[in-house]
Short mmCIF file of all heavy atoms in Angstrom, two decimals:
data_model
loop_
_atom_site.label_atom_id
_atom_site.label_comp_id
_atom_site.label_asym_id
_atom_site.label_seq_id
_atom_site.Cartn_x
_atom_site.Cartn_y
_atom_site.Cartn_z
N ASP Q 21 -4.62 -12.17 -11.39
CA ASP Q 21 -3.79 -13.17 -11.99
C ASP Q 21 -2.51 -12.70 -12.00
O ASP Q 21 -1.42 -13.44 -12.31
CB ASP Q 21 -4.32 -13.43 -13.42
CG ASP Q 21 -5.58 -14.10 -13.53
OD1 ASP Q 21 -5.88 -14.99 -12.60
OD2 ASP Q 21 -6.38 -13.99 -14.32
N GLU Q 22 -2.25 -11.26 -11.79
CA GLU Q 22 -0.94 -10.72 -11.76
C GLU Q 22 -0.11 -11.28 -10.62
O GLU Q 22 -0.62 -11.01 -9.42
CB GLU Q 22 -0.94 -9.16 -11.87
CG GLU Q 22 -1.71 -8.62 -13.04
CD GLU Q 22 -3.14 -8.73 -12.99
OE1 GLU Q 22 -3.72 -9.10 -11.82
OE2 GLU Q 22 -3.80 -8.47 -14.00
N VAL Q 23 1.16 -11.78 -10.75
CA VAL Q 23 1.95 -12.19 -9.76
C VAL Q 23 2.80 -10.99 -9.22
O VAL Q 23 3.03 -10.80 -7.99
CB VAL Q 23 2.96 -13.30 -10.26
CG1 VAL Q 23 3.91 -13.68 -9.19
CG2 VAL Q 23 2.15 -14.49 -10.57
N PHE Q 24 3.25 -10.15 -10.12
CA PHE Q 24 4.08 -9.01 -9.82
C PHE Q 24 3.34 -7.73 -10.02
O PHE Q 24 2.31 -7.65 -10.57
CB PHE Q 24 5.35 -9.05 -10.63
CG PHE Q 24 6.20 -10.22 -10.38
CD1 PHE Q 24 6.18 -11.28 -11.41
CD2 PHE Q 24 6.98 -10.35 -9.32
CE1 PHE Q 24 6.90 -12.43 -11.22
CE2 PHE Q 24 7.82 -11.56 -9.25
CZ PHE Q 24 7.75 -12.59 -10.19
N ASP Q 25 3.82 -6.58 -9.47
CA ASP Q 25 3.21 -5.39 -9.66
C ASP Q 25 3.76 -4.53 -10.86
O ASP Q 25 3.95 -3.32 -10.77
CB ASP Q 25 3.56 -4.50 -8.29
CG ASP Q 25 5.11 -3.98 -8.28
OD1 ASP Q 25 5.94 -4.88 -8.77
OD2 ASP Q 25 5.37 -2.97 -7.69
N ASP Q 26 3.93 -5.30 -11.94
CA ASP Q 26 4.42 -4.72 -13.10
C ASP Q 26 3.53 -3.53 -13.57
O ASP Q 26 3.92 -2.47 -14.15
CB ASP Q 26 4.68 -5.70 -14.23
CG ASP Q 26 5.70 -6.63 -13.83
OD1 ASP Q 26 6.67 -6.29 -12.98
OD2 ASP Q 26 5.80 -7.79 -14.38
N ASN Q 27 2.25 -3.69 -13.44
CA ASN Q 27 1.23 -2.53 -13.64
C ASN Q 27 1.03 -1.89 -12.15
O ASN Q 27 -0.08 -1.70 -11.87
CB ASN Q 27 0.00 -3.22 -14.19
CG ASN Q 27 -1.04 -2.13 -14.80
OD1 ASN Q 27 -0.58 -0.97 -14.93
ND2 ASN Q 27 -2.18 -2.55 -14.78
N TRP Q 28 2.10 -1.31 -11.73
CA TRP Q 28 1.98 -0.79 -10.39
C TRP Q 28 1.12 0.40 -10.31
O TRP Q 28 0.55 0.54 -9.19
CB TRP Q 28 3.42 -0.54 -9.79
CG TRP Q 28 4.14 0.48 -10.61
CD1 TRP Q 28 4.94 0.51 -11.77
CD2 TRP Q 28 4.14 1.90 -10.22
NE1 TRP Q 28 5.47 1.63 -12.18
CE2 TRP Q 28 5.08 2.61 -11.19
CE3 TRP Q 28 3.67 2.63 -9.19
CZ2 TRP Q 28 5.25 3.96 -11.19
CZ3 TRP Q 28 3.91 4.03 -9.17
CH2 TRP Q 28 4.63 4.69 -10.03
N GLU Q 29 0.96 1.21 -11.23
CA GLU Q 29 0.13 2.45 -11.07
C GLU Q 29 -1.30 2.01 -10.79
O GLU Q 29 -2.02 2.72 -10.23
CB GLU Q 29 0.18 3.22 -12.35
CG GLU Q 29 1.61 3.84 -12.59
CD GLU Q 29 1.52 5.39 -12.85
OE1 GLU Q 29 0.45 5.85 -12.87
OE2 GLU Q 29 2.52 5.90 -13.04
N ALA Q 30 -1.81 0.85 -11.35
CA ALA Q 30 -3.11 0.34 -11.10
C ALA Q 30 -3.40 -0.14 -9.69
O ALA Q 30 -4.43 -0.34 -9.33
CB ALA Q 30 -3.49 -0.76 -12.26
N LEU Q 31 -2.28 -0.39 -9.05
CA LEU Q 31 -2.45 -0.91 -7.64
C LEU Q 31 -2.32 0.20 -6.71
O LEU Q 31 -2.59 -0.04 -5.44
CB LEU Q 31 -1.35 -1.91 -7.36
CG LEU Q 31 -1.21 -3.17 -8.17
CD1 LEU Q 31 0.08 -3.87 -7.93
CD2 LEU Q 31 -2.32 -4.01 -7.83
N LYS Q 32 -2.15 1.35 -7.06
CA LYS Q 32 -1.91 2.51 -6.07
C LYS Q 32 -3.01 2.87 -5.04
O LYS Q 32 -2.82 3.00 -4.00
CB LYS Q 32 -1.44 3.86 -6.83
CG LYS Q 32 -0.09 3.74 -7.49
CD LYS Q 32 0.10 4.95 -8.41
CE LYS Q 32 0.33 6.23 -7.84
NZ LYS Q 32 0.58 7.26 -8.83
N GLU Q 33 -4.15 2.72 -5.72
CA GLU Q 33 -5.38 2.98 -4.79
C GLU Q 33 -5.55 1.89 -3.70
O GLU Q 33 -5.82 2.10 -2.58
CB GLU Q 33 -6.68 3.03 -5.61
CG GLU Q 33 -6.84 4.31 -6.54
CD GLU Q 33 -6.96 5.64 -5.67
OE1 GLU Q 33 -7.18 5.47 -4.45
OE2 GLU Q 33 -6.63 6.57 -6.18
N ASP Q 34 -5.32 0.67 -4.10
CA ASP Q 34 -5.46 -0.51 -3.13
C ASP Q 34 -4.36 -0.53 -2.15
O ASP Q 34 -4.64 -0.65 -0.98
CB ASP Q 34 -5.49 -1.73 -3.87
CG ASP Q 34 -6.56 -2.02 -4.89
OD1 ASP Q 34 -7.60 -2.29 -4.41
OD2 ASP Q 34 -6.40 -1.82 -6.10
N GLN Q 35 -3.09 -0.13 -2.46
CA GLN Q 35 -2.07 0.09 -1.61
C GLN Q 35 -2.25 1.25 -0.68
O GLN Q 35 -1.98 1.15 0.58
CB GLN Q 35 -0.75 0.29 -2.32
CG GLN Q 35 -0.30 -0.95 -3.03
CD GLN Q 35 0.89 -0.77 -4.10
OE1 GLN Q 35 1.15 0.33 -4.53
NE2 GLN Q 35 1.68 -1.83 -4.33
N ARG Q 36 -2.77 2.40 -1.15
CA ARG Q 36 -3.05 3.45 -0.24
C ARG Q 36 -4.28 3.13 0.75
O ARG Q 36 -4.08 3.51 1.95
CB ARG Q 36 -3.45 4.65 -1.12
CG ARG Q 36 -3.74 5.97 -0.22
CD ARG Q 36 -2.64 6.44 0.58
NE ARG Q 36 -2.97 7.54 1.39
CZ ARG Q 36 -2.85 8.80 1.04
NH1 ARG Q 36 -2.58 9.18 -0.23
NH2 ARG Q 36 -3.14 9.86 1.72
N TYR Q 37 -5.10 2.46 0.28
CA TYR Q 37 -6.30 2.15 1.11
C TYR Q 37 -5.83 1.21 2.24
O TYR Q 37 -6.19 1.41 3.43
CB TYR Q 37 -7.42 1.49 0.30
CG TYR Q 37 -8.66 1.18 1.32
CD1 TYR Q 37 -9.57 2.18 1.58
CD2 TYR Q 37 -9.00 -0.19 1.55
CE1 TYR Q 37 -10.68 1.89 2.36
CE2 TYR Q 37 -10.08 -0.36 2.43
CZ TYR Q 37 -10.98 0.53 2.83
OH TYR Q 37 -11.98 0.31 3.58
N TYR Q 38 -5.00 0.31 1.91
CA TYR Q 38 -4.43 -0.69 2.80
C TYR Q 38 -3.72 0.01 3.82
O TYR Q 38 -3.80 -0.30 5.06
CB TYR Q 38 -3.64 -1.64 2.01
CG TYR Q 38 -2.93 -2.78 2.80
CD1 TYR Q 38 -3.45 -4.06 3.04
CD2 TYR Q 38 -1.69 -2.56 3.40
CE1 TYR Q 38 -2.89 -5.08 3.69
CE2 TYR Q 38 -1.00 -3.60 4.17
CZ TYR Q 38 -1.71 -4.84 4.33
OH TYR Q 38 -0.99 -5.77 5.00
N TYR Q 39 -2.83 1.02 3.36
CA TYR Q 39 -2.07 1.77 4.34
C TYR Q 39 -2.98 2.58 5.27
O TYR Q 39 -2.76 2.59 6.43
CB TYR Q 39 -1.16 2.70 3.57
CG TYR Q 39 -0.29 3.61 4.55
CD1 TYR Q 39 0.95 3.30 4.93
CD2 TYR Q 39 -0.92 4.79 4.90
CE1 TYR Q 39 1.56 4.12 5.86
CE2 TYR Q 39 -0.33 5.65 5.85
CZ TYR Q 39 1.04 5.24 6.27
OH TYR Q 39 1.71 6.05 7.15
N ASN Q 40 -3.84 3.22 4.80
CA ASN Q 40 -4.74 4.06 5.54
C ASN Q 40 -5.46 3.32 6.61
O ASN Q 40 -5.72 3.61 7.84
CB ASN Q 40 -5.89 4.78 4.68
CG ASN Q 40 -5.26 5.87 3.92
OD1 ASN Q 40 -4.05 6.30 4.24
ND2 ASN Q 40 -6.01 6.44 2.86
N CYS Q 41 -5.92 2.06 6.26
CA CYS Q 41 -6.69 1.10 7.19
C CYS Q 41 -5.69 0.56 8.35
O CYS Q 41 -6.00 0.57 9.44
CB CYS Q 41 -7.28 -0.01 6.48
SG CYS Q 41 -8.67 0.48 5.54
N LEU Q 42 -4.53 0.14 7.90
CA LEU Q 42 -3.77 -0.65 8.75
C LEU Q 42 -2.54 0.03 9.33
O LEU Q 42 -2.01 -0.16 10.46
CB LEU Q 42 -3.30 -1.91 8.02
CG LEU Q 42 -4.39 -2.98 7.66
CD1 LEU Q 42 -3.77 -4.04 6.92
CD2 LEU Q 42 -5.15 -3.41 8.89
N MET Q 43 -1.92 0.97 8.48
CA MET Q 43 -0.56 1.52 8.83
C MET Q 43 -0.57 2.91 9.38
O MET Q 43 0.19 3.30 10.29
CB MET Q 43 0.38 1.43 7.64
CG MET Q 43 0.59 0.12 7.08
SD MET Q 43 1.31 -0.95 8.36
CE MET Q 43 1.01 -2.57 7.53
N ALA Q 44 -1.67 3.70 8.92
CA ALA Q 44 -1.62 5.09 9.35
C ALA Q 44 -1.77 5.32 10.97
O ALA Q 44 -1.04 6.17 11.45
CB ALA Q 44 -2.83 5.91 8.74
N PRO Q 45 -2.54 4.33 11.48
CA PRO Q 45 -2.70 4.53 13.08
C PRO Q 45 -1.34 4.19 13.84
O PRO Q 45 -1.32 4.34 14.98
CB PRO Q 45 -3.89 3.58 13.46
CG PRO Q 45 -4.49 3.36 12.17
CD PRO Q 45 -3.55 3.35 11.13
N GLN Q 46 -0.49 3.58 13.18
CA GLN Q 46 0.74 3.22 13.74
C GLN Q 46 1.97 3.57 12.97
O GLN Q 46 3.01 2.94 12.67
CB GLN Q 46 0.86 1.55 14.01
CG GLN Q 46 0.37 0.70 12.79
CD GLN Q 46 0.11 -0.71 13.25
OE1 GLN Q 46 -0.14 -1.03 14.33
NE2 GLN Q 46 0.27 -1.58 12.18
N SER Q 47 1.87 4.87 12.42
CA SER Q 47 2.78 5.41 11.48
C SER Q 47 4.25 5.51 12.10
O SER Q 47 5.10 5.42 11.36
CB SER Q 47 2.32 6.69 10.92
OG SER Q 47 2.08 7.68 12.08
N GLN Q 48 4.36 5.74 13.48
CA GLN Q 48 5.58 5.81 14.02
C GLN Q 48 6.29 4.50 13.90
O GLN Q 48 7.56 4.44 13.72
CB GLN Q 48 5.41 6.12 15.53
CG GLN Q 48 4.88 7.61 15.78
CD GLN Q 48 4.75 7.93 17.25
OE1 GLN Q 48 4.12 7.03 17.91
NE2 GLN Q 48 5.19 8.99 17.71
N HIS Q 49 5.65 3.49 14.02
CA HIS Q 49 6.17 2.14 13.95
C HIS Q 49 6.48 1.79 12.41
O HIS Q 49 7.48 1.08 12.25
CB HIS Q 49 5.31 1.05 14.56
CG HIS Q 49 5.00 1.27 15.91
ND1 HIS Q 49 4.00 2.01 16.41
CD2 HIS Q 49 5.59 0.68 17.08
CE1 HIS Q 49 3.94 2.02 17.71
NE2 HIS Q 49 4.85 1.31 18.16
N VAL Q 50 5.68 2.37 11.56
CA VAL Q 50 6.18 2.12 10.16
C VAL Q 50 7.50 2.91 9.78
O VAL Q 50 8.27 2.28 9.09
CB VAL Q 50 4.93 2.77 9.23
CG1 VAL Q 50 5.42 2.64 7.82
CG2 VAL Q 50 3.75 1.89 9.35
N GLU Q 51 7.53 4.05 10.32
CA GLU Q 51 8.91 4.77 10.06
C GLU Q 51 9.99 4.00 10.75
O GLU Q 51 11.15 3.96 10.14
CB GLU Q 51 8.75 6.13 10.75
CG GLU Q 51 7.87 7.13 9.93
CD GLU Q 51 7.80 8.53 10.55
OE1 GLU Q 51 7.81 8.69 11.83
OE2 GLU Q 51 7.70 9.41 9.76
N SER Q 52 9.90 3.44 11.78
CA SER Q 52 10.95 2.55 12.45
C SER Q 52 11.25 1.39 11.55
O SER Q 52 12.54 0.92 11.31
CB SER Q 52 10.56 2.10 13.86
OG SER Q 52 10.40 3.19 14.69
#
């Protein structure tokens, strides 16, 4: 139900997992 990340610490695991799945293999492009 949360619209914003005001409780952002509770989202850290989900954000990290999302990064590991989708962004880590293309980290050079993420840096760009």
Side-chain angles (χ1 to χ4, degrees):
D21 295 322
E22 298 78 11
V23 174
F24 301 100
D25 70 331
D26 295 339
N27 188 19
W28 63 273
E29 294 226 5
L31 296 170
K32 289 165 68 175
E33 290 295 343
D34 296 284
Q35 291 168 335
R36 178 64 182 273
Y37 183 78
Y38 180 93
Y39 176 92
N40 287 345
C41 287
L42 298 178
M43 301 300 163
Q46 45 195 23
S47 57
Q48 291 175 314
H49 298 84
V50 172
E51 288 183 319
S52 296

